Amino acid sequence: METINKNEEYVKEEITRSMQHLSDKRVQHAIKVQSYIRSYVTDFLREAGYIEIAPIIISPLTDPLNHPVYDPKIHAYGGDMWITQSMIFHKQIAVQELKKIFIMSPNVRLETEEKSKSGRHLYEFTQIDVEALEKSREEMMSLAEDMIIYTISRLKKEHKEELEYFHRTLPDYAKPFPVITFEEAEKKYGKGFETPLSKESSTPVWVVDIPLKEREFYDREYPEKPGILRDMDLIWPEGFEEASSGGEREYELSQILDRIQKKGQTEEQFKWFIELAKQGIKYTAGFGIGIERFTRFVCGVEKIEDVTTFPKVPGRISL
Ligand code: ASP
Ligand code: MG
């Protein structure tokens, strides 16, 4: 049974580690901050007319992601389903009728072991996942900016003592956040531009117009700039790196089929989505912001596990 549940010694160590983690005062404070962030972002989105829908945990359709992970596939009822890697397609479908939605969405991404050193990867995390019908990338960027500014300003007003605990003085960020294209960022900082860009910034910064090969097939390609997408990443300042990704979405059948093919993926994998596109969907846009990364940035702590109750660090089976 060792391969399934690890041995007794491992279990004992892990339980001890979990209990020590939970009794760490720094962790307790960070979890409190996370709880306030959850409350403020949801207050903000509801106030802006967004409806919270329940998370999806399992489905025959999930985000293919653009990087390798272990496959969270489950076989049941004579078919295959996957644990949610992101609710990207469910968001696109739900807004067809509900218009503006958000989900506090638990995602499982079984990242490979080397990601354990990044300080910002967990194989189970939650994202604030937002989508709206017939909105542009720029409108969604503006919403994300308002949401972040609102959340940080309430934290500063209502929970100054928690920020003081972490010796954290956060500025009042101004809207709009600076914008740089992927091409400009690569020219200025080279291939791994995210780290230097984040370190040099004193405010959250957008990276836009990401090339097709860097992203999943669902972010919309510019009709007039083939190979470049109408999408965006948000980078936290001070070296905290990626906060969010999002964009406008592909919605026309011919374009969806073309993009799946360009990615070297199969129509079989996305047949549920293709069927939907055949029946016709309208365009949407949205973004997802990792709640643990948001908390890590606000608290200014190095390791994402220190803001998480039951951290799942890649490579370890943990409670
Ligand atoms: N939920 C998406 C993701 O995880 C983000 C987005 O594009 O809305 O990549
Ligand atoms: Mg994505």
Side-chain angles (χ1 to χ4, degrees), residues 248-272:
E248 293 174 11
R249 319 300 183 186
E250 295 292 4
Y251 63 99
E252 291 160 312
L253 179 64
S254 59
Q255 188 62 21
I256 289 170
L257 295 176
D258 180 54
R259 294 291 308 283
I260 290 174
Q261 200 226 335
K262 279 186 187 148
K263 282 260 127 192
Q265 286 164 326
T266 63
E267 290 183 20
E268 168 64 22
Q269 195 183 341
F270 300 107
K271 62 185 175 205
W272 292 70

Short mmCIF file of all heavy atoms in Angstrom, two decimals, residues 248-272:
data_model
loop_
_atom_site.label_atom_id
_atom_site.label_comp_id
_atom_site.label_asym_id
_atom_site.label_seq_id
_atom_site.Cartn_x
_atom_site.Cartn_y
_atom_site.Cartn_z
N GLU A 248 -9.81 38.13 -23.53
CA GLU A 248 -11.04 37.87 -24.29
C GLU A 248 -10.93 36.43 -24.78
O GLU A 248 -9.83 35.90 -24.90
CB GLU A 248 -11.12 38.84 -25.46
CG GLU A 248 -11.31 40.27 -25.00
CD GLU A 248 -11.27 41.29 -26.14
OE1 GLU A 248 -11.29 40.89 -27.32
OE2 GLU A 248 -11.19 42.48 -25.83
N ARG A 249 -12.07 35.81 -25.09
CA ARG A 249 -12.06 34.38 -25.43
C ARG A 249 -12.45 34.15 -26.89
O ARG A 249 -13.28 34.86 -27.44
CB ARG A 249 -13.06 33.61 -24.56
CG ARG A 249 -13.09 34.02 -23.11
CD ARG A 249 -11.76 33.83 -22.41
NE ARG A 249 -11.88 34.16 -20.99
CZ ARG A 249 -10.88 34.22 -20.15
NH1 ARG A 249 -9.64 33.97 -20.55
NH2 ARG A 249 -11.06 34.53 -18.89
N GLU A 250 -11.92 33.07 -27.44
CA GLU A 250 -12.40 32.60 -28.73
C GLU A 250 -13.84 32.12 -28.56
O GLU A 250 -14.15 31.48 -27.55
CB GLU A 250 -11.54 31.43 -29.23
CG GLU A 250 -10.09 31.78 -29.55
CD GLU A 250 -9.93 32.68 -30.77
OE1 GLU A 250 -10.95 33.14 -31.36
OE2 GLU A 250 -8.77 32.95 -31.13
N TYR A 251 -14.70 32.44 -29.53
CA TYR A 251 -16.10 31.99 -29.43
C TYR A 251 -16.67 31.50 -30.76
O TYR A 251 -17.71 30.86 -30.80
CB TYR A 251 -16.98 33.11 -28.85
CG TYR A 251 -17.04 34.33 -29.74
CD1 TYR A 251 -18.12 34.55 -30.59
CD2 TYR A 251 -15.98 35.24 -29.75
CE1 TYR A 251 -18.14 35.66 -31.42
CE2 TYR A 251 -16.01 36.35 -30.58
CZ TYR A 251 -17.09 36.55 -31.40
OH TYR A 251 -17.12 37.64 -32.23
N GLU A 252 -15.95 31.79 -31.85
CA GLU A 252 -16.45 31.33 -33.16
C GLU A 252 -15.88 29.94 -33.45
O GLU A 252 -14.69 29.70 -33.28
CB GLU A 252 -16.01 32.29 -34.26
CG GLU A 252 -16.70 33.63 -34.17
CD GLU A 252 -15.95 34.72 -34.91
OE1 GLU A 252 -14.72 34.84 -34.73
OE2 GLU A 252 -16.61 35.44 -35.66
N LEU A 253 -16.77 29.07 -33.95
CA LEU A 253 -16.39 27.66 -34.16
C LEU A 253 -15.12 27.53 -35.01
O LEU A 253 -14.19 26.81 -34.63
CB LEU A 253 -17.56 26.90 -34.81
CG LEU A 253 -17.28 25.43 -35.10
CD1 LEU A 253 -17.04 24.64 -33.82
CD2 LEU A 253 -18.42 24.81 -35.91
N SER A 254 -15.07 28.23 -36.16
CA SER A 254 -13.93 28.03 -37.07
C SER A 254 -12.62 28.43 -36.38
O SER A 254 -11.59 27.75 -36.52
CB SER A 254 -14.12 28.85 -38.34
OG SER A 254 -14.23 30.21 -38.00
N GLN A 255 -12.68 29.50 -35.63
CA GLN A 255 -11.49 30.00 -34.94
C GLN A 255 -11.08 29.02 -33.81
O GLN A 255 -9.90 28.73 -33.62
CB GLN A 255 -11.81 31.40 -34.40
CG GLN A 255 -10.64 32.16 -33.82
CD GLN A 255 -9.51 32.46 -34.79
OE1 GLN A 255 -9.67 32.45 -36.00
NE2 GLN A 255 -8.32 32.68 -34.23
N ILE A 256 -12.06 28.48 -33.09
CA ILE A 256 -11.78 27.52 -32.02
C ILE A 256 -11.09 26.27 -32.60
O ILE A 256 -10.07 25.81 -32.09
CB ILE A 256 -13.07 27.14 -31.26
CG1 ILE A 256 -13.55 28.34 -30.41
CG2 ILE A 256 -12.88 25.89 -30.39
CD1 ILE A 256 -14.93 28.19 -29.82
N LEU A 257 -11.63 25.78 -33.71
CA LEU A 257 -11.04 24.57 -34.33
C LEU A 257 -9.61 24.86 -34.81
O LEU A 257 -8.71 24.05 -34.63
CB LEU A 257 -11.91 24.09 -35.49
CG LEU A 257 -13.32 23.60 -35.09
CD1 LEU A 257 -14.13 23.23 -36.34
CD2 LEU A 257 -13.25 22.41 -34.14
N ASP A 258 -9.42 26.04 -35.38
CA ASP A 258 -8.11 26.43 -35.87
C ASP A 258 -7.10 26.53 -34.72
O ASP A 258 -5.96 26.06 -34.82
CB ASP A 258 -8.25 27.78 -36.59
CG ASP A 258 -6.93 28.27 -37.15
OD1 ASP A 258 -6.30 27.49 -37.90
OD2 ASP A 258 -6.51 29.41 -36.83
N ARG A 259 -7.53 27.11 -33.63
CA ARG A 259 -6.64 27.30 -32.47
C ARG A 259 -6.28 25.96 -31.82
O ARG A 259 -5.14 25.75 -31.40
CB ARG A 259 -7.27 28.25 -31.46
CG ARG A 259 -7.45 29.69 -31.94
CD ARG A 259 -6.13 30.41 -32.12
NE ARG A 259 -5.31 30.31 -30.92
CZ ARG A 259 -5.50 31.00 -29.80
NH1 ARG A 259 -6.45 31.92 -29.76
NH2 ARG A 259 -4.73 30.83 -28.76
N ILE A 260 -7.26 25.06 -31.73
CA ILE A 260 -6.99 23.72 -31.16
C ILE A 260 -5.94 23.02 -32.02
O ILE A 260 -4.98 22.44 -31.52
CB ILE A 260 -8.30 22.89 -31.08
CG1 ILE A 260 -9.22 23.47 -30.00
CG2 ILE A 260 -8.00 21.41 -30.81
CD1 ILE A 260 -10.59 22.82 -29.90
N GLN A 261 -6.10 23.16 -33.32
CA GLN A 261 -5.17 22.52 -34.24
C GLN A 261 -3.77 23.15 -34.14
O GLN A 261 -2.78 22.43 -34.08
CB GLN A 261 -5.74 22.66 -35.65
CG GLN A 261 -5.17 21.65 -36.62
CD GLN A 261 -4.80 22.33 -37.92
OE1 GLN A 261 -5.34 23.37 -38.28
NE2 GLN A 261 -3.85 21.74 -38.62
N LYS A 262 -3.72 24.47 -34.06
CA LYS A 262 -2.41 25.15 -33.95
C LYS A 262 -1.67 24.74 -32.67
O LYS A 262 -0.45 24.78 -32.62
CB LYS A 262 -2.59 26.67 -33.95
CG LYS A 262 -2.77 27.26 -35.33
CD LYS A 262 -2.78 28.78 -35.25
CE LYS A 262 -3.13 29.41 -36.58
NZ LYS A 262 -3.87 30.69 -36.42
N LYS A 263 -2.41 24.39 -31.64
CA LYS A 263 -1.80 23.97 -30.37
C LYS A 263 -1.40 22.50 -30.40
O LYS A 263 -0.86 21.98 -29.44
CB LYS A 263 -2.79 24.19 -29.22
CG LYS A 263 -2.86 25.62 -28.77
CD LYS A 263 -2.04 25.86 -27.55
CE LYS A 263 -1.09 26.88 -27.54
NZ LYS A 263 -0.10 27.30 -26.82
N GLY A 264 -1.75 21.82 -31.50
CA GLY A 264 -1.47 20.39 -31.60
C GLY A 264 -2.34 19.56 -30.67
O GLY A 264 -1.96 18.46 -30.26
N GLN A 265 -3.53 20.11 -30.32
CA GLN A 265 -4.45 19.34 -29.46
C GLN A 265 -5.52 18.69 -30.31
O GLN A 265 -5.64 18.98 -31.50
CB GLN A 265 -5.04 20.28 -28.40
CG GLN A 265 -4.00 20.61 -27.34
CD GLN A 265 -4.36 21.82 -26.49
OE1 GLN A 265 -4.95 22.77 -26.96
NE2 GLN A 265 -3.96 21.78 -25.23
N THR A 266 -6.30 17.80 -29.70
CA THR A 266 -7.28 17.07 -30.50
C THR A 266 -8.69 17.60 -30.25
O THR A 266 -9.02 18.06 -29.16
CB THR A 266 -7.28 15.56 -30.11
OG1 THR A 266 -7.69 15.46 -28.74
CG2 THR A 266 -5.92 14.94 -30.30
N GLU A 267 -9.51 17.50 -31.30
CA GLU A 267 -10.91 17.91 -31.15
C GLU A 267 -11.63 17.01 -30.15
O GLU A 267 -12.54 17.45 -29.46
CB GLU A 267 -11.61 17.89 -32.52
CG GLU A 267 -11.08 18.99 -33.41
CD GLU A 267 -11.78 19.07 -34.76
OE1 GLU A 267 -12.91 18.55 -34.89
OE2 GLU A 267 -11.17 19.66 -35.68
N GLU A 268 -11.19 15.74 -30.09
CA GLU A 268 -11.79 14.79 -29.15
C GLU A 268 -11.74 15.33 -27.71
O GLU A 268 -12.72 15.27 -26.97
CB GLU A 268 -11.04 13.44 -29.27
CG GLU A 268 -11.32 12.41 -28.19
CD GLU A 268 -12.76 11.90 -28.16
OE1 GLU A 268 -13.46 12.01 -29.18
OE2 GLU A 268 -13.18 11.42 -27.08
N GLN A 269 -10.59 15.92 -27.36
CA GLN A 269 -10.40 16.43 -25.99
C GLN A 269 -11.39 17.53 -25.64
O GLN A 269 -11.75 17.72 -24.48
CB GLN A 269 -8.95 16.96 -25.88
CG GLN A 269 -8.48 17.19 -24.47
CD GLN A 269 -7.06 17.79 -24.44
OE1 GLN A 269 -6.30 17.72 -25.42
NE2 GLN A 269 -6.70 18.37 -23.32
N PHE A 270 -11.82 18.27 -26.66
CA PHE A 270 -12.68 19.43 -26.39
C PHE A 270 -14.05 19.28 -27.02
O PHE A 270 -14.70 20.28 -27.32
CB PHE A 270 -11.99 20.70 -26.88
CG PHE A 270 -10.68 20.91 -26.18
CD1 PHE A 270 -9.48 20.72 -26.85
CD2 PHE A 270 -10.64 21.26 -24.84
CE1 PHE A 270 -8.28 20.86 -26.19
CE2 PHE A 270 -9.44 21.40 -24.17
CZ PHE A 270 -8.26 21.21 -24.85
N LYS A 271 -14.50 18.03 -27.21
CA LYS A 271 -15.76 17.85 -27.96
C LYS A 271 -16.95 18.50 -27.27
O LYS A 271 -17.87 18.98 -27.94
CB LYS A 271 -16.01 16.37 -28.26
CG LYS A 271 -16.16 15.49 -27.05
CD LYS A 271 -16.29 14.03 -27.48
CE LYS A 271 -16.32 13.16 -26.25
NZ LYS A 271 -15.86 11.80 -26.51
N TRP A 272 -16.93 18.57 -25.95
CA TRP A 272 -18.05 19.22 -25.24
C TRP A 272 -18.09 20.71 -25.55
O TRP A 272 -19.15 21.31 -25.68
CB TRP A 272 -17.94 19.00 -23.73
CG TRP A 272 -18.14 17.58 -23.30
CD1 TRP A 272 -17.30 16.53 -23.52
CD2 TRP A 272 -19.27 17.04 -22.60
NE1 TRP A 272 -17.83 15.38 -23.00
CE2 TRP A 272 -19.03 15.67 -22.42
CE3 TRP A 272 -20.45 17.59 -22.09
CZ2 TRP A 272 -19.92 14.82 -21.76
CZ3 TRP A 272 -21.35 16.76 -21.43
CH2 TRP A 272 -21.08 15.39 -21.27
#
